[in-house]
Amino acid sequence: MSSPAALAGRGVLRRALRHPSFASGGALTLLLVGVAALSLAWTPHSAYLIQVRQRLLPPSGLHWLGTDTLGRDVLSMLMVGAQNSIMVGVVAVSIGLTAGVALGLLAAARRGWVEEAVMRLADFGFAFPAILLAILFTAVFGPSAVNAIIAIGIFNVPVFARIGRAAANVVWAREFVLAARAAGKGRLRITLEHVLPNILPILVVQATIQFAIAILAEAALSYLGLGTQPPNPSWGRMLNEAQTMIFTAPLLAVFPGIAIALSVLGLNLMGDGLRDLVDPRLARAR
Amino acid sequence: MSEILLEARDLARHYRLPRTSLFHPSPVVRAVDGVSFELLRGRSFGIVGESGCGKSTLARLVMALEPPSAGSVRLLGCDLTRLPAGELRRLRSQFQMVFQDPFGSLDPRHTIGRAVGEPLSLLGDADGAARAERVAEALAAVGLSPADRAKYPHEFSGGQRQRIAIARALITRPALIVADEPVSALDVSVRAQVLNLMQDLQDRNGLTYLFISHDLAVVEYVCDEVAVMYLGRIVERGPTQAVFRRPAHPYSRALLDAVPRPEPGRRRRRRQLAGQVGSATERPAGCAFAPRCPLAEPRCRTQAPALRPLDEGRFAACHFAEAMLAG
Amino acid sequence: MSLLEVNALRVRLRGPDGPVEAVRGVSFSLDRGQTMGLVGESGCGKSMTALALLGLLPEGGLLHGSVRFEGRELTQLSDRELCRLRGNRIAMVFQEPMTALNPLHSIGRQIAEPLCLHRGLSSEAARGVAGELLHRVGMPDARARLDAYPHQLSGGQRQRALIAMALACEPDLLIADEPTTALDVTIQAQILELIVDLVHERGMALILISHDLGVIAETVERVAVMYAGRIVEMGPVATVFGRLAHPYSRGLFAAIPRIGGGRSGGGRGRLAAIPGRVPDLAALPTGCAFADRCGHAQPVCRLAEPPPLAVGPEHWAACGRLDAVLASDG
């Protein structure tokens, strides 16, 4: 015999695996994480070793995806670059999630001028082009991977603030919140015990999608030379370096391009799938 | 005569709507507009009226979930509207609320044990073991098993959830329970079970109910006294039997007439109330009910009738109350 | 030949743990000018019966049995043919007027739509008819309201608009599913009266679905009490309410507080609640579905579904212990 909760858990897992976009997105994301993890222990060659005599080799048995202008192994660089992408995603989304959700919850809990102020701030954040923000940021603090990540994280704050506030407002209007207030609960405890747990699924979905956007943004910044600095491999910088050779060695641009596209696609598919899976209407239909 | 547990004086709650035009002042909704009543300990007081009459707002004012625009609510001698937050929180153990929607009033992510124990945990004067015992006691009082405490709301039917909500209201051993349409969402057979439960609990624990409902038959069944509300004001108040047998206000009579009754051979063809409930933003100068009232005369449109005492301990706000009672 | 003949109607829905029978063998017939009520608690299959008549089952729903409308077998019709019937010959009024109206279209347009669709009227002509219809259903300032949007109307006015929509093509059969449940009592009285008047005026047949025994008793001529997907008692309203026969109907009737019933002289009467709860349709007991909650139940009740037994003229109840139940009145 198993408890109802365990049964429900198993049901969710089964439904998740059957969901086409969640399953395929999850597989791609798993591949990304797996490659990054593997690269910590093993890469076919060093991703940093420059061998000018071996430059621009086509794919072969030795270098599966060939070598770049400086003779580095492209596959190894892609693998190490995956670490970089994941790190960017995790840190940037964490910054956005923490600060944004806190602001959103505050706005929903206090209403009035606090809500007004938070939301106008979010509007301001939205109106400001992300790349411009990042360029400003790196211009002030100097180009580095860390600064790029912080810039992307700041860009995520209004996104989560808005979603957090909208979802929290819905929960605040529910009767069980009124019941908790009637029992004497304060705003902080209601926020932590009732509101946050109930909006978590929505936040998780949004986090997946923001993760993908963060990877893209980092690639764009590195491509502009504002992100990850040499010699650390990054998909965006690989694209940048491939650009000059686009007619002699087009494959150099193709491989990092595919890596970025597949990662973003995987995360987006997973996010869409998650959205379906946590949709309360579908969950209630059981 | 029993002791007065709660006293509402001239309670009012006005909401400001967003401006419709830049050059006009923003309209004000008078959801509750000068309501006074008393609750006697151990008795049930019903509030009836149609949607928009302000009965749910009144419940929230009594529960101190909203500040009134004017007036006071005194419970056990303390004015809830002026009490500091900390003292109000402690006093909340004395008045609890049961809500209409058995599917919305329980957090889907909390177990039943946690939901029922919540009001107690906020008081902070019961440790874990004592609290668990009180939860079991409250669940048993509403006919549920203590083993149910580990379950989640979705595992229960609507009627059971309403029992859970009642257990949660009972756990602090309150003097007053405010019930806002507690059985409206329930099926007929289950509704009877919950109503019987509420009566048993009242008999056993000497509870006082403020019972809000649009269902006149349920109010007649539960309540000793009733107040009929129309557009934010009480138009008639008195012992339920007296008001329902011989209404002194034309609106009370229209409400009673409109209730369909399952009696053999009864065909509908009756005095019917025309029109619909007016707007609470544009209150007419005279009686708010005058535009729909079959008895209305010119003076009704200029002179608002006050709530005044009549026979049998009842009050009515109508210029023709005596005529209504006589004929 | 009756206007509508429903025979052994069964509806099987896809449930979370396999198929669920929401309607389990419902039969009745209805003629023009006749009114009938389906009454029961949530999940008894009353709404699903109505949706099945229109061929509007939820996804994965299966229909067995026969529904004949003017002699045509509806269960055999293609979706296209059903569409021509719906809103035209058979119309439906729903419980929630706000969700049943499209918030983006004016009500005039929504009333005119079926006229253009089924009657081929020009939009000009349809608008004229829509104005008349709104006037007939008692909408104040009918012509001016043609251009109003649903959110600009009160609940009662929306329900009037919905009824006008249903009447647009002069249907032969009107199905009203809890048409007044979302409305206040004084408005409910107006709307029920309107429906009754219109049915008489136009010679339509009416199926009224409600959980409220009072609404049924005052509005229709014949009542069918449903429980767990079956009709357990049926007959003329006056006869049935005069002598309820099925223990479930009796229980339902005894469980509602009544105005004037009161508590006699301070002593507390208790409502006679039906013990237990409605059975899970996915795990129905064999035999009578009400046996577990029934004070008259005997082992025989759990053997087979009881057949309908006559109580009086045109009045029957499906109870295996009917004699004992009726004798218990003394």
Side-chain angles (χ1 to χ4, degrees):
Chain A
M1 262 213 31
S2 37
S3 74
L7 272 178
R10 235 174 30 207
V12 166
L13 191 67
R14 208 176 45 208
R15 232 151 39 88
L17 291 181
R18 263 200 227 137
H19 195 286
S21 69
F22 180 82
S24 48
L28 281 173
T29 309
L30 218 60
L31 178 71
L32 172 71
V33 175
V35 165
L38 179 65
S39 73
L40 290 172
W42 175 84
T43 47
H45 300 269
S46 166
Y48 302 94
L49 184 65
I50 296 174
Q51 291 174 299
V52 184
R53 264 182 294 162
Q54 308 257 337
R55 66 198 291 264
L56 294 175
L57 291 180
S60 67
L62 188 61
H63 297 282
W64 290 358
L65 302 182
T67 58
D68 74 350
T69 43
L70 298 176
R72 291 173 297 189
D73 180 54
V74 170
L75 178 61
S76 304
M77 288 175 77
L78 280 180
M79 288 173 70
V80 177
Q83 284 175 35
N84 185 53
S85 289
I86 289 177
M87 215 254 298
V88 169
V90 168
V91 177
V93 169
S94 302
I95 293 173
L97 199 63
T98 322
V101 171
L103 282 171
L105 288 175
L106 176 75
R110 302 239 52 129
R111 306 306 290 257
W113 67 268
V114 177
E115 182 173 29
E116 223 25 56
V118 168
M119 286 307 111
R120 292 300 79 78
L121 212 67
D123 288 343
F124 184 72
F126 266 116
F128 218 81
I131 291 289
L132 193 61
L133 178 75
I135 291 173
L136 271 179
F137 207 80
T138 42
V140 176
F141 298 102
S144 81
V146 176
N147 287 343
I149 292 172
I150 293 175
I152 298 167
I154 290 174
F155 166 70
N156 272 332
V157 171
V159 176
F160 283 106
R162 259 200 189 169
I163 288 212
R165 183 199 69 124
N169 274 343
V170 171
V171 180
W172 271 97
R174 299 275 298 272
E175 219 166 42
F176 61 78
V177 169
L178 196 63
R181 284 177 59 208
K185 245 184 206 180
R187 287 176 209 274
L188 180 64
R189 283 191 68 177
I190 289 178
T191 297
L192 294 179
E193 292 174 19
H194 294 283
V195 179
L196 189 57
N198 277 294
I199 68 169
L200 216 50
I202 298 170
L203 296 177
V204 169
V205 170
Q206 192 61 34
T208 349
I209 289 164
Q210 292 307 119
F211 200 107
I213 293 175
I215 289 181
L216 269 180
E218 193 276 340
L221 286 179
S222 299
Y223 176 81
L224 294 173
L226 300 171
T228 313
Q229 298 302 306
N232 294 323
S234 135
W235 294 347
R237 252 210 20 264
M238 288 172 73
L239 273 180
N240 173 311
E241 287 163 8
Q243 192 191 20
T244 49
M245 313 295 289
I246 194 79
F247 295 109
T248 42
L251 280 180
L252 277 184
V254 169
F255 290 126
I258 289 177
I260 293 170
L262 283 184
S263 308
V264 171
L265 180 70
L267 284 161
N268 274 324
L269 281 175
M270 193 165 80
D272 278 353
L274 268 178
R275 200 198 312 262
D276 288 350
L277 289 170
V278 303
D279 188 317
R281 277 166 301 179
L282 295 176
R284 209 173 300 140
R286 274 195 298 159
Chain B
M1 207 57 204
S2 16
E3 156 205 8
I4 291 175
L5 179 71
L6 179 131
E7 187 183 10
R9 272 282 144 257
D10 304 318
L11 264 184
R13 175 69 175 146
H14 301 170
Y15 298 98
R16 207 163 270 283
L17 292 183
R19 273 164 198 268
T20 46
S21 140
L22 210 58
F23 305 104
H24 291 96
S26 50
V28 172
V29 176
R30 298 165 186 274
V32 172
D33 198 22
V35 165
S36 304
F37 59 90
E38 284 149 13
L39 299 188
L40 300 179
R41 194 185 270 278
R43 310 290 289 276
S44 303
F45 189 88
I47 294 179
V48 298
E50 297 181 280
S51 44
C53 73
K55 54 190 195 298
S56 287
T57 307
L58 186 62
R60 292 185 190 205
L61 290 177
V62 168
M63 284 304 298
L65 289 170
E66 275 180 42
S69 309
S72 65
V73 181
R74 299 180 78 85
L75 178 81
L76 297 159
C78 305
D79 187 345
L80 299 183
T81 54
R82 296 192 212 304
L83 224 50
E87 279 176 51
L88 179 63
R89 194 165 299 172
R90 291 212 64 79
L91 193 62
R92 279 194 186 278
S93 63
Q94 287 302 314
F95 60 111
Q96 296 281 338
M97 188 160 181
V98 176
F99 295 87
Q100 168 174 4
D101 179 8
F103 295 89
S105 63
L106 295 168
D107 189 328
R109 286 165 196 278
H110 287 189
T111 62
I112 295 317
R114 185 170 174 193
V116 171
E118 188 173 75
L120 210 55
S121 69
L122 290 165
L123 287 173
D125 52 13
D127 62 25
R131 202 183 299 159
E133 200 170 299
R134 291 274 289 275
V135 169
E137 189 185 297
L139 285 176
V142 298
L144 291 169
S145 143
D148 288 334
R149 77 173 78 184
K151 294 187 187 165
Y152 285 87
H154 71 84
E155 297 172 55
F156 295 89
S157 68
Q160 287 173 316
R161 287 189 208 200
Q162 211 55 322
R163 285 171 190 271
I164 292 164
I166 293 172
R168 175 187 154 98
L170 282 177
I171 197 159
T172 58
R173 296 175 185 147
L176 169 69
I177 288 186
V178 176
D180 188 0
E181 305 268 11
V183 295
S184 302
L186 303 180
D187 265 324
V188 174
S189 67
V190 179
R191 181 183 302 181
Q193 294 172 4
V194 172
L195 287 175
N196 283 338
L197 170 69
M198 288 183 72
Q199 293 229 317
D200 292 344
L201 292 169
Q202 181 170 45
D203 293 344
R204 212 181 305 149
N205 306 337
L207 287 171
T208 307
Y209 288 130
L210 179 62
F211 194 98
I212 287 152
S213 180
H214 69 279
D215 188 331
L216 302 185
V218 166
V219 167
E220 175 176 322
Y221 176 72
V222 174
C223 300
D224 308 286
E225 265 202 283
V226 66
V228 181
M229 282 185 77
Y230 190 79
L231 281 181
R233 289 193 185 157
I234 292 179
V235 295
E236 182 167 3
R237 163 159 71 88
T240 314
Q241 293 293 322
V243 173
F244 281 18
R245 285 228 177 102
R246 227 155 39 100
H249 195 284
Y251 179 64
S252 320
R253 186 170 73 189
L255 265 188
L256 285 159
D257 273 348
V259 178
R261 299 168 197 208
E263 285 154 21
R266 191 185 144 102
R267 293 310 291 173
R268 128 185 328 268
R269 208 34 94 172
R270 56 164 78 108
R271 282 170 296 205
Q272 222 191 68
L273 200 53
Q276 49 183 320
V277 178
S279 138
T281 48
E282 303 141 30
R283 171 176 281 283
C287 172
F289 185 60
R292 300 175 77 190
C293 183
L295 304 179
E297 280 184 4
R299 73 161 157 155
C300 298
R301 300 181 210 280
T302 51
Q303 229 183 322
L307 196 65
R308 58 204 166 87
L310 297 158
D311 65 340
E312 298 182 79
R314 84 164 93 197
F315 296 76
C318 176
H319 296 309
F320 305 106
E322 284 81 5
M324 285 278 303
L325 287 175
Chain C
M1 185 180 69
S2 296
L3 175 71
L4 178 72
E5 275 174 58
V6 180
N7 209 347
L9 179 71
R10 287 177 170 271
V11 175
R12 184 170 293 175
L13 300 177
R14 209 156 49 188
D17 315 304
V20 169
E21 283 226 291
V23 179
R24 307 182 299 129
V26 162
S27 307
F28 62 88
S29 67
L30 198 64
D31 258 320
R32 278 193 185 76
Q34 288 187 338
T35 58
M36 173 172 160
L38 292 179
V39 69
E41 298 180 277
S42 43
C44 72
K46 54 191 194 300
S47 292
M48 207 45 76
T49 303
L51 291 175
L53 298 184
L54 287 167
L56 291 174
L57 291 183
E59 208 187 310
L62 280 176
L63 198 144
H64 298 274
S66 128
V67 178
R68 298 182 87 82
F69 183 75
E70 295 184 310
R72 281 165 90 191
E73 182 58 55
L74 296 193
T75 52
Q76 307 295 327
L77 292 187
S78 72
D79 214 41
R80 265 182 79 118
E81 290 168 304
L82 273 173
C83 277
R84 268 205 290 274
L85 277 176
R86 284 183 213 136
N88 185 15
R89 313 296 311 282
I90 308 178
M92 188 147 178
V93 176
F94 294 92
Q95 170 174 354
E96 196 40 76
M98 194 60 209
T99 49
L101 288 167
N102 186 336
L104 297 178
H105 294 172
S106 71
I107 58 165
R109 177 169 165 193
Q110 294 187 59
I111 297 169
E113 204 164 39
L115 288 166
C116 302
L117 192 70
H118 295 297
R119 292 284 140 99
L121 260 57
S122 71
S123 59
E124 202 98 328
R127 190 180 155 88
V129 177
E132 281 162 36
L133 281 165
L134 268 188
H135 181 71
R136 175 60 198 92
V137 298
M139 180 81 78
D141 304 323
R143 306 252 167 231
R145 292 297 166 103
L146 279 175
D147 297 314
Y149 288 85
H151 72 267
Q152 297 169 314
L153 303 179
S154 71
Q157 288 173 342
R158 276 183 219 132
Q159 198 57 287
R160 286 178 196 274
L162 214 54
I163 291 170
M165 247 168 96
L167 290 177
C169 292
E170 304 187 10
D172 299 297
L173 171 63
L174 179 68
I175 302 174
D177 187 358
E178 305 265 9
T180 57
T181 305
L183 306 176
D184 281 320
V185 271
T186 57
I187 309 296
Q188 162 169 292
Q190 296 168 3
I191 297 288
L192 289 178
E193 196 117 349
L194 172 68
I195 291 178
V196 169
D197 287 348
L198 288 168
V199 164
H200 287 304
E201 188 180 300
R202 312 209 162 189
M204 289 186 289
L206 169 73
I207 297 179
L208 176 72
I209 296 163
S210 179
H211 69 281
D212 189 327
L213 291 172
V215 166
I216 294 286
E218 295 196 349
T219 315
V220 295
E221 293 150 1
R222 198 149 48 108
V223 59
V225 181
M226 289 191 71
Y227 185 77
R230 312 198 86 196
I231 296 179
V232 295
E233 181 164 3
M234 182 147 82
V237 162
T239 325
V240 170
F241 283 96
R243 194 190 191 196
L244 288 166
H246 197 281
Y248 174 66
S249 322
R250 293 181 162 213
L252 209 55
F253 192 77
I256 45 171
R258 224 148 305 154
I259 290 180
R263 311 145 145 197
S264 39
R268 302 214 147 167
R270 277 177 69 83
L271 288 173
I274 304 176
R277 51 195 277 207
V278 176
D280 185 353
L281 284 173
L284 280 179
T286 53
C288 175
F290 188 61
D292 287 342
R293 306 173 73 187
C294 179
H296 294 279
Q298 293 283 321
V300 59
C301 296
R302 296 172 210 276
L303 294 179
E305 298 257 17
L309 295 173
V311 182
E314 293 180 58
H315 178 189
W316 58 262
C319 175
R321 304 260 304 139
L322 190 60
D323 292 339
V325 176
L326 291 174
S328 69
D329 298 336

